[in-house]
Amino acid sequence: MSGPAARGATTADRHEQRRTTLWAGAAALIAAVAIGFGWRSDRVPEPLTEVLSYVCSGFLLDGALTAIEIAALAMVGGMILGLMLALMRLSRLAPVRGAAWCYIWFIRGTPVILQLVFLYDALPLFGIKLDSFTTAVVGFMLNEAAFSAEIIRGGILSVDRRQSLAAASFGMGRFLTLWRIILPQAMRAILPSMANQTISMIKGTSIASVIFVNELTFRSQQIVGQNFKFFTVFAAAGIIYLIMTSAVAVAQFYLERHFDPEAAHRSRGGAGPADRSVRDGGTGAAAVPPTAWMDTLQGEQADGSSPDEPFVICRNVQKSYGDKEILRGIDLTVRRGEVVVLMGPSGSGKSTLLRLVNHLETLDWGEITVGGKYVGYKKAIGDALKPIRNIAKARADARIGMVFQHFNLFDHLTALENIMEAPIHVHGESTEKMRVLAMDLLRAVGLVSHADHFPHRLSGGQQQRVAIARALAISPRLMLFDEPTSALDPELVGEVLAVIRRLAEAGMTMIVVTHEVRFAREVADRVIFMDEGHIVEQGPPETVLDHPKHERTQRFLRMVEQQPS
């Protein structure tokens, strides 16, 4: 965002910060004045003076500190254990999912007071002796874990699964994907519920009085037992609880701002000085040819190998989902530097074949090699292929760039950050080096002025061009395009195809799934028509597109040509 809109958003944020600060200061001032008058003047009614005196009582404040300690320790432990339980609930292994479900079912279905009493009275029978404070922390932590697990699981499920798929295609492992991609987006859904849980925890520590924890409510009861001033003492305790829970509400406000990507980006000042100078026409803006980085890449790929050498080899590739056969013995060879276009009706297996090449799906039978190596497989007994343990590293080492039909940009990152993410966190490249390369790539796709824009601020065509730049940032040896224009409005198709056309001219090895007949005719070295999991026919574009031999191909092309452009 730039211009008046950005200035308006920044001004609104400043006003909101000022209002929050003003209210906090006003509350503190009122409390200070009230307490001051209560001690030094008759202007404040005596009951209020007495309440305020209890609010400042060291005896009650010590109890409040105990409540905060219990709540803080229990929440931290509960969230960590809750994250583990949430991941167990999302596991592919039924026993793991079942164990987590049973724990959550039992804890959520029994009162926390009974859980505390059980821990306090039953554990000593097994030789485990805990003091009251520790018992309260452990009890509340185990209880909170069950609720946190479902909150965290809901937050994770709220993030589009395609975000994980895109991360996997760049070689990001499960933990890295969770930490860098999923949780930052899920936190916006998780935080409000977690704040509610924290507030409930602070108030709920009063239950710990049943096992003689000397917290705020317990101390209030001790005072009332001596002076019988129920209203005065418990009103003071209520005010202290309100202050503690208000602090949580303020923390929630700032945490939500922190996990709001646009607000966080504005607070960091947006683009760095180097980026601004590039976009404003600095020394590097026009000096770097749009495909200079591609020339270097092609030099690195040469390795003295022949351009006609097979680079991607698929032998008898078979894939099924349940009883449905998707691919039925596919044999395919793609030479280095060749552009192969896959065409065919929906459900013919084109997208599945691409995902098998990058090991986003597992093979049922056959084999696929890229550059003479398996991607995430090794030979097992009887020459059968077996997936290796570290598939993410295998994907990263293969250097296969993939562009998806629905873009799959990381929603919490800017265009520039999307491009830099995988090279830095997967391949270990330096931030400064990747910042320069990312800006060059954005310039190459005509989006250098949109470097600081988040995906939802970009049009479909712009998002797809950023997705192409992101795939190119890992210095790919092979590019896979899964219907890159099918989700775009007709007027946006041209700008994406222009970028792919330039890649073809630069010599990038590509497999492109598309229905764009004109594009295939202009760019493809070979067109492959697929139907029902088979390769029906293949050959140069002028042969397959202009003079198809198979009746199924002819019928498909007639249908495509009749569709409005």
Side-chain angles (χ1 to χ4, degrees), residues 41 75 91 98 127 134 136 147 168 243 251 259 263 309 332 344 386 393 436 450 468 480 497 518 520 536 557:
S41 174
M75 283 301 300
S91 172
T134 305
F147 292 90
I243 292 171
F259 286 102
E309 178 183 334
L332 172 66
K386 177 183 179 181
K393 184 177 185 305
V436 173
H450 296 71
I468 294 172
L480 307 176
L497 294 182
R518 180 179 176 183
V536 176
L557 292 174

Side-chain angles (χ1 to χ4, degrees), residues 246-278:
S246 297
V248 175
V250 172
Q252 176 189 352
F253 171 79
Y254 284 103
L255 282 173
E256 287 182 352
R257 282 180 54 81
H258 174 75
F259 286 102
D260 179 348
E262 296 203 51
H265 188 68
R266 287 195 298 270
S267 68
R268 293 196 301 267
D275 300 337
R276 293 194 190 98
S277 67
V278 171

